[in-house]
Amino acid sequence: MIRFFKGNSTGIAERFSASLIFNILRSLISFIISILLARFLGPNEFGRMAFLLASFFAFKNILDMYSSHAFFTFLSKKNRGQYFIKIYWCWMAFQLVFSIFLVAFLLPDNFVTGLWRGESRTLVVMALVATFMQQSAWQSASQMAEAIRKTIQVQKLGSMVAFAHLLLILILHFLNYLSLSILFITISLEWLIASYLAYKMYDKHSKDSDSIFAIFQEFWIYCKPLIPLAWLGFFYEFLDRWMLQAWAGSREQAFYALAANFAFIALIATSSIIKVLWKEIAEAYDDKDLKKVEDLFKKSTKFLYFIGAFLSGLCLPWSKEILYLTVGSEYSQANIAFILMLLYPVHQSIGQISGVMFFATEKVKIQSTITITFMILSIIVAYFMLAPENSYIPGFGMGSKGLAWKMVMMQFIQVNILVIVISKIFNWKNSFLIYQFYILGGAIFIGFTIKYIIMNVITSLVLAMLISMLLYFTLIIFIFFNYPVTISGIKKQEINKFFN
């Protein structure tokens, strides 16, 4: 969508445009799926599903150890041969088989029951496989296609799978077959097929000059500084959701999961550009084109922050009304968590771009040190936010609200430190600290002001929402096109080039 990313490559703008369009489509479908599941399953079942999937999303860090990041970085630099690809997918198969064997046979019953809060071993294994297919197999296969700039094809495929999933959920619900076990089996099969099709898109060279030892050494050098980060990452992600489940229950888990699902819609633009940006930064850095690296980082950072702030200002004033109209009164208690999580994607986008900078330029030791420090601090803060007041070390017992507060506060601090460190490494001028306050603060102020004015004129809630959001959108776009450099770092000429 954005021509200013074009640089020397004629494909960046087109790939980002396609990625953005398909991510909007897929996010809309995922948003509908999330609402339907929240309604069909109810808070307790929806909370159980969210906990199981989140726990294995965290678990994959232990075995993956950032090897998937290394895989995509190496593929982005140059096309690799069949042997290299085969070795990596053997490693992926090992991860799946070992994980299933561990959970299905090795772990004692009381350990499984305690860790997954009374869930059956069979259901836990089903959740494991579903998460692996969607978060590991699909991610690696789609990265292969992204690495050779087949963004459009892989985005089409992902959108088709999401649409098929929506149809299957509707069919299962109307046939009264919708359950967590059936849902996990459906997810596994969908993303297994999608992963195979994405894998076939990659043009593998027939000849390989590297031995298995050389490939192992290449991955080891990249991943070694990140292994402690990966293992700690498991405890960081798992403990957040485990403490919430153990001390607040499935309903609070559902409230947080629902708020997070809504909030992640604001990351559409980020998810659209992230792999494209990773590919281009890795290639530009390998070619020693540091000016292009700086241009890609700064413009993407400002633009994505603006998008996040824009969406927060649009939705935050209407948070209570959005929840009521979409998922009903059962989830009214999720409002505070929802408000807080609407702020989370604003800085999350910058965190992802900063992570791409470290991974694509292979400065992973610095990334690992900063992230490990914040993970440890985050676990401590999460404990005090979630632990009951009558615990041996008392906490605030805030449930989903506490976890949302922790996520927003810790990320704000971490992201600003990451941007400062990157600016120092590459000797760039950093003006992001001041920029973020007037962009986010301005968007939220405009959103609440328009709501206040409209609500005093129009009595119909839905009509007031629609007119308010339309006016907000129009005003923000007007400001953007009149002050593009100040707001997003994009020049008017670059905008005109894109639309022409």
Side-chain angles (χ1 to χ4, degrees):
M1 181 178 177
I2 300 179
R3 193 78 172 199
F4 62 80
F5 285 128
K6 186 173 180 181
N8 293 325
S9 172
T10 58
I12 302 179
E14 291 82 357
R15 286 155 53 217
F16 175 54
S17 299
S19 185
L20 180 60
I21 291 168
F22 283 113
N23 268 296
I24 290 172
L25 175 61
R26 194 163 61 189
S27 295
L28 177 62
I29 295 171
S30 298
F31 174 70
I32 295 171
I33 290 171
S34 179
I35 290 173
L36 291 177
L37 288 176
R39 282 183 173 271
F40 293 164
L41 297 175
N44 288 324
E45 288 294 289
F46 186 69
R48 288 176 61 207
M49 181 197 73
F51 171 63
L52 286 169
L53 293 177
S55 68
F56 284 110
F57 180 79
F59 180 73
K60 77 183 184 71
N61 290 331
I62 294 181
L63 291 179
D64 181 76
M65 294 178 288
Y66 286 93
S67 57
S68 58
H69 291 67
F71 181 62
F72 185 53
T73 300
F74 299 153
L75 291 181
S76 296
K77 289 181 176 181
K78 61 180 180 179
N79 210 353
R80 304 299 290 257
Q82 291 182 4
Y83 188 66
F84 177 87
I85 303 297
K86 181 181 178 181
I87 292 296
Y88 178 77
W89 280 97
C90 286
W91 164 242
M92 289 286 291
F94 168 79
Q95 292 180 51
L96 177 61
V97 172
F98 178 80
S99 300
I100 293 174
F101 186 73
L102 177 68
V103 176
F105 303 109
L106 292 184
L107 295 180
D109 289 339
N110 59 345
F111 187 84
V112 172
T113 302
L115 199 62
W116 283 285
R117 311 305 302 165
E119 299 293 351
S120 70
R121 192 185 293 266
T122 302
L123 189 65
V124 171
V125 172
M126 287 180 177
L128 185 161
V129 176
T131 307
F132 181 88
M133 291 303 168
Q134 184 174 15
Q135 301 296 336
S136 297
W138 165 251
Q139 290 301 318
S140 292
S142 63
Q143 283 175 343
M144 292 173 64
E146 290 277 4
I148 55 172
R149 298 187 172 97
K150 290 189 176 180
T151 303
I152 296 174
Q153 294 94 318
V154 78
Q155 290 293 342
K156 282 182 181 178
L157 177 60
S159 298
M160 289 170 63
V161 174
F163 184 70
H165 187 57
L166 173 60
L167 290 179
L168 285 171
I169 286 174
L170 290 171
I171 292 170
L172 290 170
H173 173 68
F174 288 117
L175 293 176
N176 291 320
Y177 284 127
L178 186 62
S179 64
L180 294 188
S181 57
I182 296 296
L183 195 58
F184 292 152
I185 292 171
T186 301
I187 293 171
S188 301
L189 293 175
E190 288 168 351
W191 292 106
L192 173 63
I193 296 169
S195 299
Y196 174 77
L197 295 176
Y199 172 88
K200 297 296 288 184
M201 293 180 189
Y202 189 77
D203 300 321
K204 297 174 284 292
H205 287 180
S206 58
K207 295 182 179 179
D208 279 295
S209 58
D210 294 333
S211 64
I212 186 171
F213 177 77
I215 294 171
F216 173 80
Q217 191 73 11
E218 189 177 11
F219 274 91
W220 176 250
I221 292 171
Y222 187 101
C223 296
K224 182 180 177 181
L226 295 169
I227 292 175
L229 174 60
W231 290 349
L232 181 62
F234 162 73
F235 292 102
Y236 164 73
E237 293 181 13
F238 181 80
L239 285 176
D240 274 2
R241 304 303 283 266
W242 186 89
M243 288 188 288
L244 182 61
Q245 186 78 7
W247 292 328
S250 294
R251 286 183 66 86
E252 287 291 320
Q253 187 80 244
F255 296 157
Y256 177 79
L258 183 68
N261 287 341
F262 270 89
F264 289 150
I265 295 173
L267 289 170
I268 292 173
T270 305
S271 58
S272 302
I273 191 61
I274 202 76
K275 289 179 182 177
V276 176
L277 196 64
W278 193 330
K279 160 69 178 177
E280 301 304 326
I281 288 176
E283 190 173 79
Y285 186 75
D286 194 51
D287 294 337
K288 296 182 172 53
D289 189 352
L290 298 183
K291 181 66 179 67
K292 183 179 179 180
V293 172
E294 180 180 6
D295 196 49
L296 288 166
F297 176 75
K298 287 190 172 181
K299 287 182 176 178
S300 61
T301 298
K302 277 195 169 185
F303 179 75
L304 291 174
Y305 188 88
F306 164 71
I307 293 294
F310 163 76
L311 292 174
S312 292
L314 178 70
C315 298
L316 200 147
W318 298 95
S319 60
K320 187 181 294 185
E321 292 83 356
I322 291 171
L323 279 177
Y324 177 75
L325 292 172
T326 54
V327 291
S329 57
E330 275 193 301
Y331 291 87
S332 60
Q333 295 177 50
N335 187 46
I336 300 299
F338 182 42
I339 290 173
L340 292 168
M341 290 305 290
L342 285 174
L343 297 172
Y344 178 75
V346 182
H347 286 89
Q348 171 69 0
S349 60
I350 310 307
Q352 290 190 25
I353 297 298
S354 300
V356 163
M357 275 295 299
F358 286 112
F359 288 125
T361 58
E362 300 186 36
K363 299 185 184 298
V364 293
K365 188 174 182 180
I366 301 171
Q367 161 81 340
S368 179
T369 302
I370 295 172
T371 307
I372 284 174
T373 302
F374 272 90
M375 281 183 175
I376 294 171
L377 292 174
S378 184
I379 291 171
I380 296 170
V381 173
Y383 175 86
F384 285 104
M385 288 292 191
L386 297 173
E389 295 179 1
N390 60 357
S391 295
Y392 180 74
I393 301 176
F396 297 108
M398 294 176 67
S400 57
K401 298 184 289 292
L403 188 54
W405 267 115
K406 188 271 298 188
M407 295 294 287
V408 173
M409 290 188 301
M410 295 302 296
Q411 181 168 247
F412 171 78
I413 299 170
Q414 182 180 0
V415 162
N416 278 279
I417 289 176
L418 286 171
V419 173
I420 290 170
V421 170
I422 289 172
S423 299
K424 287 188 176 294
I425 290 173
F426 292 96
N427 198 27
W428 297 338
K429 183 180 177 182
N430 176 29
S431 58
F432 181 69
L433 186 62
I434 299 172
Y435 167 84
Q436 61 191 311
F437 286 108
Y438 70 76
I439 292 296
L440 180 58
I444 293 173
F445 175 78
I446 291 171
F448 273 102
T449 301
I450 292 176
K451 178 186 178 182
Y452 176 79
I453 295 171
I454 296 299
M455 288 296 287
N456 282 285
V457 177
I458 300 173
T459 56
S460 170
L461 174 61
V462 175
L463 184 60
M465 277 185 66
L466 292 174
I467 292 176
S468 177
M469 289 181 171
L470 180 61
L471 287 174
Y472 173 86
F473 179 82
T474 304
L475 182 56
I476 293 294
I477 294 299
F478 174 79
I479 295 171
F480 171 75
F481 276 100
N482 280 274
Y483 304 97
V485 176
T486 303
I487 292 175
S488 63
I490 313 169
K491 297 177 182 178
K492 283 188 177 181
Q493 298 92 320
E494 293 168 326
I495 297 175
N496 293 333
K497 281 183 180 179
F498 165 70
F499 282 106
N500 288 332

